Amino acid sequence: QNSGSCFGGAVGKAHNSNFKGICVNSIIYLNNLDSIGGVVGHVESNIYSSDVLESCSFIGELYGNKNIGGIAGIKTKDGQMLDCINYGLVSANENVGGVLGKLCYEGISESETFVAYCVNTGAVTGTGADTGGVVGYMQGNNDLDFYSTISKCGNYGKVTGSGTGVGGVLGRCNTRRGRVLNCANHGEVYSANECRIGGIVGSMGKDASAAHQSTNLQVGYCANTGTVSSSNGSSHVGGILGFQEEG
């Protein structure tokens, strides 16, 4: 394919659908396209469910442009993503994750959207903004509670990023109400460019337009054993968190 969007090794776009136990072994090369996943390109749910996308895996290679993930390219609105694992190589430009490229809660209910018990072991490379071992980019509703969450996830693969946020678990959280809990990284995290680089999260939080906001972010109960580094002297580098915005 050389045009369009929402491509997946099994499904292009899943709306209010539950998937469980799907394994894809393939090479997916859609270098100029967006919203591509090893299993599902775009997962969208208007109904809170505990098994929107569960126990899926990807083996192979995946190349794309934006919102690219080993399991799913982009996940929007409500619902959960559980017990998924990526073994494949994932390489793209922007919002690149070993498991999920972009996690986006759009405030449609009073539940939450989250990624839990997901693991990446493959190499993840981003040539542009926001690259993470598990999730590349996360956003949510700034005025609601902590509805965008990554919990109990792990990364073992090498994460190489080139812009904005680069993290062993999450590249960047661009919301005042995001949290990452009970996660671990054991892979190398590196960038040659000026970035915000962390063993767990590269960049966390959003400008609260005030001197301080206590609920701007939560990062807790996390561990990193991987090497975190940048060859650019202007980068912000941390074993757990590269950059924190207020909070």
Side-chain angles (χ1 to χ4, degrees):
Q1 290 279 0
N2 58 12
S3 63
S5 61
C6 299
F7 292 90
V11 179
K13 183 174 182 179
H15 180 71
N16 289 346
S17 303
N18 296 337
F19 293 89
K20 186 174 182 178
I22 298 174
C23 177
V24 176
N25 187 343
S26 182
I27 295 176
I28 302 173
Y29 192 92
L30 300 164
N31 205 38
N32 297 317
L33 305 185
D34 300 345
S35 302
I36 304 166
V39 178
V40 183
H42 185 171
V43 181
E44 181 180 70
S45 178
N46 295 325
I47 304 170
Y48 182 74
S49 173
S50 62
D51 58 351
V52 169
L53 190 60
E54 182 178 5
S55 302
C56 294
S57 60
F58 176 73
I59 305 167
E61 299 178 18
L62 176 60
Y63 303 90
N65 179 45
K66 181 179 179 180
N67 301 335
I68 311 298
I71 302 299
I74 180 170
K75 183 180 179 306
T76 56
K77 297 188 177 178
D78 215 331
Q80 304 179 30
M81 185 171 177
L82 307 171
D83 297 303
C84 294
I85 183 166
N86 173 61
Y87 301 98
L89 179 153
V90 180
S91 180
N93 180 33
E94 185 178 345
N95 301 344
V96 189
V99 173
L100 176 63
K102 180 178 179 180
L103 174 64
C104 180
Y105 176 77
E106 297 178 2
I108 63 165
S109 76
E110 302 227 345
S111 55
E112 63 182 338
T113 183
F114 65 80
V115 176
Y117 300 103
C118 290
V119 175
N120 173 67
T121 68
V124 181
T125 301
T127 58
D130 304 325
T131 306
V134 178
V135 178
Y137 177 85
M138 180 169 74
Q139 72 178 53
N141 192 314
N142 293 315
D143 300 318
L144 297 176
D145 207 344
F146 290 104
Y147 291 146
S148 295
T149 302
I150 299 171
S151 176
K152 302 178 178 68
C153 292
N155 174 64
Y156 294 86
K158 181 176 180 179
V159 180
T160 305
S162 298
T164 314
V166 183
V169 173
L170 171 64
R172 179 164 69 114
C173 173
N174 187 34
T175 174
R176 296 197 291 269
R177 302 283 181 150
R179 60 184 174 188
V180 178
L181 305 173
N182 303 103
C183 292
N185 173 65
H186 305 293
E188 180 184 354
V189 184
Y190 172 77
S191 177
N193 297 337
E194 181 180 347
C195 293
R196 300 168 176 183
I197 308 166
I200 299 298
V201 185
S203 181
M204 192 79 178
K206 187 175 182 179
D207 191 343
S209 301
H212 173 74
Q213 181 156 332
S214 62
T215 57
N216 201 16
L217 57 91
Q218 288 184 358
V219 178
Y221 312 104
C222 294
N224 172 59
T225 65
T227 300
V228 184
S229 64
S230 173
S231 53
N232 188 300
S234 297
S235 292
H236 302 281
V237 183
I240 297 294
L241 183 58
F243 183 90
Q244 172 181 318
E245 176 66 45
E246 301 178 20

